[in-house]
Amino acid sequence: MEAIKQILLDEIATLNREGQRDNLPRFSFSFLKTHPGLWAIMYLCYALCVALIFSTDMLGWPAFWFATAFVLVMSFLMLMDINPKYRFEDIDTLDLRVCYNGEWYYVQPVSQQALDKIVENPGTPDRVRSGIDRLMKQKGEVDFYDVYYLTWGNKQASSI
């Protein structure tokens, strides 16, 4: 079982390296490209706020500068993109990280090389080998949760 875990850890490390998944913020125009309407609405609301600020006696230049700074900070933050790291510990864990990472382990397939290493490993149980073969025939791919469930999930289900 430790050999399977190590194969999955190596595969996750490869995915993190190739996808530049390092939890660091990067400047990117992806949000602007995918949600141009939200960007336009934000600036439309800013224009309406400026019109309101200067049409009343109660508000003035301080409110204008605050609104301008707020819109500029929000614009900058929307141009930041963060690729969260995949972690083995997140597989089959429902907590706040799911909001940040999503349930990546359901949709991210394990590479064929990693599957071959798991199947060829002499310590791999027969139920895991047969499960991988069955899933490859049914789905055409095996994701991280499939391997996790075949390896550790069946043990938990049979002990209940």
Side-chain angles (χ1 to χ4, degrees):
M1 301 297 185
E2 279 301 313
I4 295 173
K5 182 177 180 179
Q6 189 57 49
I7 292 168
L8 291 179
L9 286 170
D10 293 342
E11 182 72 8
I12 290 170
T14 301
L15 288 172
N16 286 335
R17 188 176 52 255
E18 289 174 355
Q20 291 183 335
R21 297 186 160 282
D22 53 8
N23 293 340
L24 296 176
R26 288 183 174 76
F27 192 73
S28 169
F29 286 101
S30 64
F31 184 85
L32 182 58
K33 291 176 184 173
T34 56
H35 304 293
L38 288 175
W39 200 268
I41 289 172
M42 182 179 73
Y43 280 101
L44 174 69
C45 290
Y46 169 71
L48 292 173
C49 283
V50 169
L52 179 67
I53 286 169
F54 289 116
S55 66
T56 64
D57 294 334
M58 302 288 282
L59 303 171
W61 286 104
F64 168 76
W65 290 118
F66 175 78
T68 301
F70 179 77
V71 167
L72 291 176
V73 166
M74 293 307 294
S75 297
F76 177 75
L77 291 177
M78 284 190 241
L79 291 175
M80 299 305 291
D81 195 19
I82 298 174
N83 284 335
K85 274 186 173 182
Y86 293 152
R87 296 175 358 144
F88 179 81
E89 296 80 23
D90 294 343
I91 298 175
D92 200 32
T93 301
L94 294 176
D95 61 7
L96 289 177
R97 285 183 301 239
V98 172
C99 297
Y100 181 61
N101 286 350
E103 293 179 322
W104 62 270
Y105 42 84
Y106 284 117
V107 296
Q108 183 64 49
V110 179
S111 72
Q112 189 60 46
Q113 296 87 355
L115 290 175
D116 292 341
K117 287 180 187 176
I118 292 171
V119 171
E120 292 168 3
N121 187 346
T124 301
D126 289 335
R127 73 176 189 281
V128 175
R129 286 189 181 104
S130 62
I132 288 173
D133 290 338
R134 181 177 45 81
L135 287 169
M136 284 301 286
K137 290 175 185 168
Q138 288 177 346
K139 294 183 353 182
E141 67 181 17
V142 178
D143 56 48
F144 280 86
Y145 182 76
D146 293 332
V147 175
Y148 182 85
Y149 183 77
L150 289 171
T151 307
W152 295 282
N154 283 336
K155 190 186 315 178
Q156 292 171 353
S158 64
S159 66
I160 294 176

